Amino acid sequence: MNSWLRLSAVKLHSRSYSLLPQGAQAYIGGKWTSSQTGKSFDVLNPYNNEVVDRVTNCNVKDAEKAVQSAVEGFEQWAYSYTAKQRGAILHKWFEILLQRETELATLLTKEQGKPLGEARGEIQYSAAYFDWYAGEARRVYGQVVPSAVHNRLHLHTREPIGVVALISPWNFPTAMIARKAAAALSVGCSAVVKPAEDTPLSALALAQTAEEAGIPAGVFNVITADRANTAEISKFLCESTDVSAISFTGSTPVGKLLLAQSASTVKRVCLELGGNAPLIVFDDANLDIAVAGTMATKFRCSGQTCVSANRIFVHEKIHDQYVSKLAAAMKEKLVLGDGMDPKTTQGPLVNQKAVDKCELLLSDALGKGAELICGGKHGEHGSSYEPTLITNVQSNTNIANTEIFGPIAPIQKFREDDEVLQAANNCRVGLAGYIFGKDTARLHKFSRRLEVGMVGVNEGLISCAEAAFGGVKESGIGREGGAQGVDEFTNWKYICTQY
């Protein structure tokens, strides 16, 4: 069939944003298909609110079809393909993503809004997971367990869990699917992907590249749906006895709902949920490194990441210097605009609701004594919002206790180590944390005692394919990436043989 991804390279640069004459379709059982209802929904560019494409609006019946296709695909993928063969296909998928980087990044920017440079980085990051798990496919080892008696052989083997449902967010519409799918497919699982309604096109593009890489029909399925249909589809996936695991990245409230819905079938649930990351700058920190790290973690994807620094604690001795340097860096490096403009380094927020949230949080903080250093205004286009810096933030403000998911950097002063450690851990979520300083004993202490799943020490960008990504407390269950990433998609089996 003709590649709609190839067509997109031409269409996206024209005034028409349609990727196919009939719009983008779901991908089920190796075929592009419309919903049984024939309905579709619009995908909008958040910078200018123009329609990027019309996408198939799947319902539960379509989801049932996708799951059945995945059941059939699993039998072939898990038992007719060796780990080496699966790894070879995943590596080809990796190569295709790199070859198609420009097309995929352009599509991503059009529907999500992030700057094209960041979108390119996301495609490279996504590809890295297929490269990593292409190798890990051959390293899913079992165990030989010594027996307490003669003439018995005890084996522990690891087997694919089965069909997995991958429910992904809009902020990294390619990477979050790649991180889940690469691990799941490497061990022999098949997948049904439900992308966010704001960014379904990148998921469909990933299906196109999967087909080109040689992924068999039914092994990788993508069902797209608007917000209304998403709720019932997700409930079906959680309650289906044909789905063996749910992997979800998104908000903590939705994660809790999916966990509850999965209880009836006692299925495996992997959750990567919200964060409210503390970033601590000690009095002995190299301020240039601290500011660079803050810029990287706070303003990537316009602050719309689960590992974004939300609570920035700065020692009182170096507070003013740090704020001055951070304000200067923001003014120099952050350019708000259209993600397709090469000058842009800050794209729009995902929608107006996200802008409203930022405005409410900022208003509350300023009303309780915070000082506005820069930014704080709605941008001129779409759901754009200016990068914002505020100081003198009090612990009783909403912004000090809420995941912002926007480009606001709120600064709080601290004096004592014990004081800031307590403040950093005074939170029901714990995904990532960041510390900047030189005292190795203190850095080691805080690395161990911060109640988070990941710590960046003098570093603001910590995610990579080789490392385990995940949180503690209400930030989730399980890990993605690294050698640990396959744990969520395998079962241990004990085999006892008498000889």
Side-chain angles (χ1 to χ4, degrees):
M1 62 173 293
N2 290 330
S3 164
W4 67 266
L5 182 56
R6 293 192 190 97
L7 290 176
S8 74
V10 176
K11 296 281 187 178
L12 284 173
H13 291 287
S14 69
R15 295 187 66 181
S16 170
Y17 294 116
S18 177
L19 301 178
L20 277 180
Q22 71 271 28
Q25 297 174 309
Y27 187 72
I28 300 174
K31 298 179 180 179
W32 299 98
T33 179
S34 297
S35 171
Q36 294 184 15
T37 66
K39 294 181 179 180
S40 59
F41 65 100
D42 289 338
V43 177
L44 303 179
N45 182 326
Y47 180 74
N48 53 30
N49 291 321
E50 292 184 359
V51 176
V52 181
D53 204 348
R54 289 191 63 78
V55 182
T56 292
N57 194 7
C58 294
N59 60 14
V60 169
K61 291 294 184 182
D62 300 304
E64 291 174 353
K65 182 180 177 182
V67 169
Q68 184 56 42
S69 294
V71 169
E72 296 168 2
F74 171 73
E75 290 298 318
Q76 178 187 15
W77 185 243
Y79 304 118
S80 298
Y81 284 75
T82 66
K84 182 177 180 180
Q85 290 171 325
R86 291 195 298 267
I89 293 174
L90 291 179
H91 193 266
K92 186 175 180 181
W93 200 350
F94 153 74
E95 292 176 333
I96 290 171
L97 289 183
L98 294 185
Q99 293 165 4
R100 297 291 192 85
E101 178 186 310
T102 298
E103 295 169 78
L104 293 166
T106 299
L107 182 63
L108 197 161
T109 292
K110 287 289 186 179
E111 67 171 345
Q112 201 276 342
K114 67 177 60 177
L116 186 59
E118 280 194 25
R120 287 182 178 276
E122 179 173 340
I123 300 305
Q124 295 166 11
Y125 176 57
S126 304
Y129 282 100
F130 291 108
D131 184 36
W132 172 257
Y133 284 109
E136 286 298 286
R138 300 173 70 179
R139 293 191 286 268
V140 182
Y141 302 130
Q143 298 172 332
V144 178
V145 183
S147 173
V149 298
H150 292 296
N151 303 323
R152 279 178 41 150
L153 175 65
H154 293 176
L155 298 178
H156 288 164
T157 63
R158 299 179 73 177
E159 300 185 347
I161 196 169
V163 175
V164 299
L166 312 178
I167 305 175
S168 61
W170 50 263
N171 54 346
F172 291 92
T174 300
M176 295 302 95
I177 298 173
R179 189 162 70 191
K180 300 172 187 297
L185 269 61
S186 73
V187 297
C189 296
S190 59
V192 175
V193 178
K194 171 56 190 71
E197 64 274 10
D198 295 299
T199 54
L201 300 176
S202 291
L204 296 174
L206 206 52
Q208 171 69 44
T209 56
E211 183 177 277
E212 294 173 1
I215 298 293
V219 175
F220 187 81
N221 306 273
V222 179
I223 48 175
T224 53
D226 64 11
R227 189 177 299 272
N229 285 2
T230 291
E232 63 178 14
I233 288 174
S234 298
K235 186 174 187 291
F236 160 74
L237 293 173
C238 290
E239 295 178 350
S240 171
T241 55
D242 288 324
V243 175
S244 299
I246 297 286
S247 180
F248 169 74
T249 297
S251 72
T252 296
V254 174
K256 290 179 178 179
L257 175 62
L258 297 179
L259 184 60
Q261 291 175 343
S262 298
S264 63
T265 53
V266 198
K267 60 169 49 74
R268 185 83 53 82
V269 179
C270 178
L271 302 174
E272 193 269 283
L273 307 177
N276 197 1
L279 185 150
I280 302 170
V281 185
F282 295 111
D283 57 354
D284 62 345
N286 180 313
L287 292 186
D288 290 333
I289 292 176
V291 167
T294 305
M295 292 285 287
T297 181
K298 176 68 255 184
F299 296 108
R300 183 169 61 116
C301 197
S302 300
Q304 300 173 114
T305 82
C306 53
V307 293
S308 176
N310 278 294
R311 297 172 295 146
I312 303 175
F313 302 97
V314 182
H315 196 279
E316 61 182 12
K317 288 183 179 178
I318 47 88
H319 173 273
D320 292 351
Q321 292 174 273
Y322 170 86
V323 169
S324 178
K325 283 179 174 287
L326 181 58
M330 290 172 62
K331 182 178 180 180
E332 176 187 356
K333 298 179 180 180
L334 301 182
V335 179
L336 184 62
D338 184 350
M340 293 303 297
D341 186 337
K343 297 179 182 178
T344 296
T345 61
Q346 291 285 283
L349 301 187
V350 66
N351 52 38
Q352 183 59 41
K353 184 178 178 181
V355 174
D356 294 342
K357 178 182 178 181
C358 285
E359 291 182 334
L360 286 172
L361 290 174
L362 180 62
S363 176
D364 176 75
L366 296 178
K368 294 176 180 176
E371 179 183 352
L372 179 65
I373 304 299
C374 61
K377 296 179 181 178
H378 193 306
E380 296 180 0
H381 299 277
S383 52
S384 300
Y385 193 80
E386 293 180 347
T388 302
L389 175 61
I390 57 175
T391 60
N392 196 37
V393 174
Q394 304 302 308
S395 61
N396 66 338
T397 57
N398 292 333
I399 205 167
N401 298 282
T402 303
E403 184 178 28
I404 303 168
F405 241 66
I408 304 177
I411 313 297
Q412 301 180 56
K413 282 184 183 180
F414 76 92
R415 178 178 299 173
E416 302 293 340
D417 286 2
D418 289 345
E419 165 200 352
V420 74
L421 181 62
Q422 182 179 5
N425 288 337
N426 185 26
C427 187
R428 276 303 305 155
V429 293
L431 189 57
Y434 307 89
I435 51 178
F436 293 86
K438 297 176 182 175
D439 184 328
T440 54
R442 178 163 58 186
L443 293 175
H444 180 70
K445 171 186 174 182
F446 272 73
S447 294
R448 296 299 302 273
R449 294 190 61 185
L450 279 176
E451 295 172 358
V452 296
M454 302 172 286
V455 179
V457 181
N458 292 318
E459 177 58 70
L461 291 177
I462 59 177
S463 300
C464 63
E466 298 80 5
F469 190 104
V472 299
K473 297 192 281 193
E474 294 181 24
S475 281
I477 302 171
R479 293 295 182 269
E480 297 180 350
Q484 295 83 355
V486 300
D487 293 347
E488 311 307 321
F489 305 113
T490 57
N491 283 325
W492 282 100
K493 177 180 283 186
Y494 163 49
I495 302 173
C496 177
T497 302
Q498 177 76 35
Y499 61 91

